[in-house]
mmCIF file of all heavy atoms in Angstrom:
data_model
loop_
_atom_site.group_PDB
_atom_site.id
_atom_site.type_symbol
_atom_site.label_atom_id
_atom_site.label_comp_id
_atom_site.label_asym_id
_atom_site.label_seq_id
_atom_site.Cartn_x
_atom_site.Cartn_y
_atom_site.Cartn_z
ATOM 1 N N LEU L 87 6.325 -10.553 9.658
ATOM 2 C CA LEU L 87 4.889 -10.037 9.880
ATOM 3 C C LEU L 87 4.340 -10.723 11.178
ATOM 4 O O LEU L 87 3.667 -10.139 11.893
ATOM 5 C CB LEU L 87 4.112 -10.571 8.717
ATOM 6 C CG LEU L 87 2.595 -10.055 8.671
ATOM 7 C CD1 LEU L 87 2.506 -8.506 8.378
ATOM 8 C CD2 LEU L 87 1.895 -10.746 7.556
ATOM 9 N N PHE L 90 7.907 -10.036 14.283
ATOM 10 C CA PHE L 90 8.076 -8.719 14.951
ATOM 11 C C PHE L 90 7.133 -8.461 16.036
ATOM 12 O O PHE L 90 7.364 -8.092 17.175
ATOM 13 C CB PHE L 90 8.135 -7.621 13.891
ATOM 14 C CG PHE L 90 8.568 -6.302 14.493
ATOM 15 C CD1 PHE L 90 9.883 -6.025 14.654
ATOM 16 C CD2 PHE L 90 7.676 -5.403 14.845
ATOM 17 C CE1 PHE L 90 10.348 -4.783 15.212
ATOM 18 C CE2 PHE L 90 8.108 -4.049 15.378
ATOM 19 C CZ PHE L 90 9.409 -3.843 15.599
ATOM 20 N N PRO L 91 5.734 -8.788 15.832
ATOM 21 C CA PRO L 91 4.770 -8.568 16.806
ATOM 22 C C PRO L 91 5.007 -9.468 18.032
ATOM 23 O O PRO L 91 4.836 -9.031 19.140
ATOM 24 C CB PRO L 91 3.415 -8.944 16.120
ATOM 25 C CG PRO L 91 3.661 -8.603 14.773
ATOM 26 C CD PRO L 91 5.069 -8.875 14.423
ATOM 27 N N ARG L 94 7.902 -7.857 19.994
ATOM 28 C CA ARG L 94 7.339 -6.682 20.709
ATOM 29 C C ARG L 94 6.450 -7.100 21.890
ATOM 30 O O ARG L 94 6.322 -6.423 22.859
ATOM 31 C CB ARG L 94 6.553 -5.752 19.715
ATOM 32 C CG ARG L 94 7.507 -4.880 18.916
ATOM 33 C CD ARG L 94 8.231 -3.863 19.830
ATOM 34 N NE ARG L 94 7.176 -2.850 20.092
ATOM 35 C CZ ARG L 94 6.915 -2.549 21.354
ATOM 36 N NH1 ARG L 94 7.457 -3.017 22.391
ATOM 37 N NH2 ARG L 94 5.900 -1.639 21.569
ATOM 38 N N LEU L 95 5.675 -8.222 21.713
ATOM 39 C CA LEU L 95 4.901 -8.658 22.785
ATOM 40 C C LEU L 95 5.678 -9.148 23.930
ATOM 41 O O LEU L 95 5.376 -8.816 25.192
ATOM 42 C CB LEU L 95 3.778 -9.786 22.293
ATOM 43 C CG LEU L 95 2.726 -10.142 23.301
ATOM 44 C CD1 LEU L 95 1.769 -9.066 23.699
ATOM 45 C CD2 LEU L 95 1.939 -11.345 22.738
ATOM 46 N N GLU L 98 7.043 -6.035 25.628
ATOM 47 C CA GLU L 98 5.990 -5.392 26.556
ATOM 48 C C GLU L 98 5.808 -6.130 27.844
ATOM 49 O O GLU L 98 5.825 -5.639 28.938
ATOM 50 C CB GLU L 98 4.714 -5.306 25.751
ATOM 51 C CG GLU L 98 4.687 -4.134 24.776
ATOM 52 C CD GLU L 98 4.639 -2.820 25.403
ATOM 53 O OE1 GLU L 98 3.888 -2.561 26.351
ATOM 54 O OE2 GLU L 98 5.418 -1.886 24.890
ATOM 55 N N LEU L 111 -0.389 -7.594 29.564
ATOM 56 C CA LEU L 111 -0.508 -7.304 28.120
ATOM 57 C C LEU L 111 -0.704 -5.864 27.962
ATOM 58 O O LEU L 111 -1.125 -5.136 28.793
ATOM 59 C CB LEU L 111 -1.723 -8.111 27.631
ATOM 60 C CG LEU L 111 -1.588 -9.618 27.609
ATOM 61 C CD1 LEU L 111 -2.941 -10.169 27.092
ATOM 62 C CD2 LEU L 111 -0.451 -10.101 26.651
ATOM 63 N N PRO L 112 -0.331 -5.358 26.732
ATOM 64 C CA PRO L 112 -0.607 -3.918 26.426
ATOM 65 C C PRO L 112 -2.095 -3.734 26.410
ATOM 66 O O PRO L 112 -2.891 -4.702 26.173
ATOM 67 C CB PRO L 112 0.071 -3.764 25.168
ATOM 68 C CG PRO L 112 0.325 -5.132 24.546
ATOM 69 C CD PRO L 112 0.320 -6.003 25.716
ATOM 70 N N GLU L 113 -2.467 -2.458 26.527
ATOM 71 C CA GLU L 113 -3.919 -2.093 26.302
ATOM 72 C C GLU L 113 -4.280 -2.483 24.832
ATOM 73 O O GLU L 113 -3.414 -2.331 23.867
ATOM 74 C CB GLU L 113 -4.174 -0.682 26.499
ATOM 75 C CG GLU L 113 -4.056 -0.245 28.006
ATOM 76 C CD GLU L 113 -4.487 1.170 28.158
ATOM 77 O OE1 GLU L 113 -5.363 1.682 27.477
ATOM 78 O OE2 GLU L 113 -3.860 1.807 29.022
ATOM 79 N N ALA L 114 -5.502 -2.920 24.590
ATOM 80 C CA ALA L 114 -5.954 -3.326 23.287
ATOM 81 C C ALA L 114 -4.877 -4.274 22.626
ATOM 82 O O ALA L 114 -4.293 -3.828 21.537
ATOM 83 C CB ALA L 114 -6.261 -2.091 22.442
ATOM 84 N N PRO L 115 -4.739 -5.390 23.153
ATOM 85 C CA PRO L 115 -3.664 -6.336 22.589
ATOM 86 C C PRO L 115 -3.780 -6.620 21.007
ATOM 87 O O PRO L 115 -2.804 -6.625 20.347
ATOM 88 C CB PRO L 115 -3.717 -7.522 23.361
ATOM 89 C CG PRO L 115 -4.874 -7.413 24.263
ATOM 90 C CD PRO L 115 -5.375 -6.045 24.150
ATOM 91 N N LEU L 116 -5.047 -6.723 20.598
ATOM 92 C CA LEU L 116 -5.246 -7.006 19.101
ATOM 93 C C LEU L 116 -4.697 -5.810 18.303
ATOM 94 O O LEU L 116 -3.953 -5.989 17.346
ATOM 95 C CB LEU L 116 -6.636 -7.409 18.840
ATOM 96 C CG LEU L 116 -6.888 -7.805 17.358
ATOM 97 C CD1 LEU L 116 -6.084 -8.905 16.913
ATOM 98 C CD2 LEU L 116 -8.430 -8.014 17.091
ATOM 99 N N GLY L 117 -5.152 -4.633 18.631
ATOM 100 C CA GLY L 117 -4.686 -3.436 17.914
ATOM 101 C C GLY L 117 -3.191 -3.276 18.094
ATOM 102 O O GLY L 117 -2.492 -2.913 17.074
ATOM 103 N N PHE L 118 -2.568 -3.591 19.192
ATOM 104 C CA PHE L 118 -1.096 -3.515 19.360
ATOM 105 C C PHE L 118 -0.289 -4.499 18.390
ATOM 106 O O PHE L 118 0.558 -4.080 17.698
ATOM 107 C CB PHE L 118 -0.797 -3.851 20.834
ATOM 108 C CG PHE L 118 0.647 -4.094 21.101
ATOM 109 C CD1 PHE L 118 1.443 -3.022 21.386
ATOM 110 C CD2 PHE L 118 1.211 -5.310 21.027
ATOM 111 C CE1 PHE L 118 2.795 -3.194 21.653
ATOM 112 C CE2 PHE L 118 2.572 -5.516 21.232
ATOM 113 C CZ PHE L 118 3.425 -4.406 21.573
ATOM 114 N N LEU L 119 -0.899 -5.711 18.363
ATOM 115 C CA LEU L 119 -0.274 -6.716 17.488
ATOM 116 C C LEU L 119 -0.439 -6.370 16.009
ATOM 117 O O LEU L 119 0.450 -6.603 15.237
ATOM 118 C CB LEU L 119 -0.869 -8.128 17.733
ATOM 119 C CG LEU L 119 -0.575 -8.732 19.086
ATOM 120 C CD1 LEU L 119 -1.274 -10.036 19.371
ATOM 121 C CD2 LEU L 119 0.977 -9.000 19.244
ATOM 122 N N LEU L 120 -1.592 -5.777 15.629
ATOM 123 C CA LEU L 120 -1.901 -5.487 14.170
ATOM 124 C C LEU L 120 -0.948 -4.305 13.766
ATOM 125 O O LEU L 120 -0.327 -4.255 12.758
ATOM 126 C CB LEU L 120 -3.272 -5.012 14.003
ATOM 127 C CG LEU L 120 -4.269 -6.240 14.014
ATOM 128 C CD1 LEU L 120 -5.725 -5.757 13.951
ATOM 129 C CD2 LEU L 120 -3.927 -7.227 12.875
ATOM 130 N N TYR L 121 -0.768 -3.348 14.699
ATOM 131 C CA TYR L 121 0.160 -2.220 14.443
ATOM 132 C C TYR L 121 1.606 -2.792 14.309
ATOM 133 O O TYR L 121 2.291 -2.296 13.449
ATOM 134 C CB TYR L 121 -0.003 -1.161 15.552
ATOM 135 C CG TYR L 121 0.909 0.006 15.278
ATOM 136 C CD1 TYR L 121 0.711 0.875 14.336
ATOM 137 C CD2 TYR L 121 2.091 0.133 16.110
ATOM 138 C CE1 TYR L 121 1.587 1.967 14.018
ATOM 139 C CE2 TYR L 121 2.901 1.269 15.936
ATOM 140 C CZ TYR L 121 2.710 2.146 14.924
ATOM 141 O OH TYR L 121 3.443 3.154 14.654
ATOM 142 N N GLN L 122 1.999 -3.653 15.206
ATOM 143 C CA GLN L 122 3.289 -4.130 15.145
ATOM 144 C C GLN L 122 3.517 -4.996 13.954
ATOM 145 O O GLN L 122 4.688 -5.021 13.416
ATOM 146 C CB GLN L 122 3.586 -5.068 16.416
ATOM 147 C CG GLN L 122 3.525 -4.245 17.748
ATOM 148 C CD GLN L 122 4.396 -2.982 17.791
ATOM 149 O OE1 GLN L 122 5.588 -3.062 17.282
ATOM 150 N NE2 GLN L 122 3.883 -1.883 18.302
ATOM 151 N N ALA L 123 2.520 -5.663 13.393
ATOM 152 C CA ALA L 123 2.670 -6.422 12.130
ATOM 153 C C ALA L 123 2.927 -5.390 11.031
ATOM 154 O O ALA L 123 3.708 -5.768 10.126
ATOM 155 C CB ALA L 123 1.332 -7.169 11.838
ATOM 156 N N LEU L 124 2.304 -4.273 11.022
ATOM 157 C CA LEU L 124 2.641 -3.293 10.007
ATOM 158 C C LEU L 124 4.132 -2.860 10.050
ATOM 159 O O LEU L 124 4.736 -2.694 9.116
ATOM 160 C CB LEU L 124 1.688 -2.128 10.174
ATOM 161 C CG LEU L 124 0.215 -2.174 9.805
ATOM 162 C CD1 LEU L 124 -0.562 -0.982 10.140
ATOM 163 C CD2 LEU L 124 0.090 -2.568 8.355
ATOM 164 N N LEU L 125 4.522 -2.584 11.325
ATOM 165 C CA LEU L 125 5.900 -2.217 11.454
ATOM 166 C C LEU L 125 6.850 -3.469 11.027
ATOM 167 O O LEU L 125 7.916 -3.234 10.651
ATOM 168 C CB LEU L 125 6.169 -1.872 12.986
ATOM 169 C CG LEU L 125 5.444 -0.559 13.423
ATOM 170 C CD1 LEU L 125 5.740 -0.326 14.826
ATOM 171 C CD2 LEU L 125 5.836 0.647 12.531
ATOM 172 N N GLY L 126 6.372 -4.608 11.299
ATOM 173 C CA GLY L 126 7.281 -5.804 10.958
ATOM 174 C C GLY L 126 7.531 -5.928 9.499
ATOM 175 O O GLY L 126 8.616 -6.360 9.223
#
Side-chain angles (χ1 to χ4, degrees):
L87 185 70
F90 190 80
R94 282 287 291 121
L95 186 61
E98 283 287 316
L111 294 174
E113 288 185 36
L116 182 59
F118 172 85
L119 291 172
L120 290 172
Y121 179 69
Q122 298 306 317
L124 289 172
L125 297 177

